[in-house]
C-alpha cells in the first residue's frame, strides 16, 4: 500500500486560502500532511508576523510566493510569503482572510503512517506539533 498521497486542487477568485485548505484537510480526513506547493495570487492578505500579537492585513494585488507548513484535521500550522507589484516580499503566519485574486494551485501531501496533533507541552506558550508513528 502506498503511504504517500497527493491532494491537488485549484482555488477560484474570491475564495479564502486558509479556510479552503482547512476544508480540504477535513474533507479528506488528513491526519498527517504538509504543503507540497502553493502558488497563486491574492487581493487581500492577513498575516501574523513573528512574535506579533496583532494580525497585519493589506489589499491590492499580491503573488503567493510560497505557502509552507503542516496540516492535520487535528490542527495545522501554516506560513505564507507574498510579494507586491514591486517585488517587495513579506511573510508570516497564514490567517483567515487571504482572498484569492485569479487562482491558487495547492498540493497537499499526506502520509498514512503518521498522525499529527497539536498540544501545549510546556516548551512554548503555543500548541506544538506532536507526531505519532503508525506501524
Amino acid at each position: 500500500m502506498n503511504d504517500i498521497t497527493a491532494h491537488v486542487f485549484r482555488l477560484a477568485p474570491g475564495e479564502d486560502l486558509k479556510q479552503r485548505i482547512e476544508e480540504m484537510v477535513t474533507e479528506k480526513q488528513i491526519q498527517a500532511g504538509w504543503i507540497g506547493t502553493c502558488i497563486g495570487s491574492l487581493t487581500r492578505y492577513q498575516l501574523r508576523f513573528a512574535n506579533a500579537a496583532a494580525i497585519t492585513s493589506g489589499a491590492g494585488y499580491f503573488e503567493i510566493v510560497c505557502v509552507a507548513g503542516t496540516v492535520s484535521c487535528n490542527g495545522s500550522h501554516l506560513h505564507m510569503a507574498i510579494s507586491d507589484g514591486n517585488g517587495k516580499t513579506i511573510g508570516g503566519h497564514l490567517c483567515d482572510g487571504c482572498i484569492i485574486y485569479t487562482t491558487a494551485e495547492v498540493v497537499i501531501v499526506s502520509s498514512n503512517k503518521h498522525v499529527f496533533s497539536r498540544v501545549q507541552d510546556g516548551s512554548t506558550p503555543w500548541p506544538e506539533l506532536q507526531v505519532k508513528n503508525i506501524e
Side-chain angles (χ1 to χ4, degrees):
M1 174 163 75
N2 189 358
D3 64 324
I4 301 291
T5 303
H7 310 272
V8 183
F9 56 103
R10 176 182 174 251
L11 302 184
E15 292 188 283
D16 184 294
L17 177 61
K18 183 177 179 216
Q19 288 178 7
R20 289 291 291 122
I21 289 172
E22 289 177 343
E23 287 170 7
M24 179 62 72
V25 168
T26 299
E27 176 186 319
K28 299 294 183 181
Q29 284 296 291
I30 296 171
Q31 297 288 316
W34 56 95
I35 302 295
T37 191
C38 176
I39 59 169
S41 59
L42 301 173
T43 56
R44 179 163 181 75
Y45 72 83
Q46 297 226 114
L47 296 170
R48 185 179 52 77
F49 298 141
N51 207 38
I55 293 172
T56 299
S57 61
Y61 299 100
F62 306 95
E63 293 290 337
I64 300 169
V65 177
C66 179
V67 175
T70 56
V71 296
S72 170
C73 50
N74 303 311
S76 299
H77 185 189
L78 297 167
H79 288 198
M80 178 174 67
I82 58 170
S83 64
D84 66 14
N86 295 314
K88 178 184 173 192
T89 302
I90 60 171
H93 190 87
L94 177 64
C95 300
D96 289 344
C98 294
I99 306 303
I100 303 302
Y101 173 42
T102 59
T103 192
E105 302 167 6
V106 183
V107 178
I108 298 174
V109 183
S110 65
S111 167
N112 64 10
K113 291 196 173 187
H114 303 88
V115 174
F116 295 166
S117 61
R118 301 216 150 256
V119 176
Q120 279 192 276
D121 61 11
S123 65
T124 72
W126 300 280
E128 299 295 351
L129 178 67
Q130 306 296 308
V131 180
K132 178 181 175 186
N133 295 320
I134 300 171
E135 297 296 327

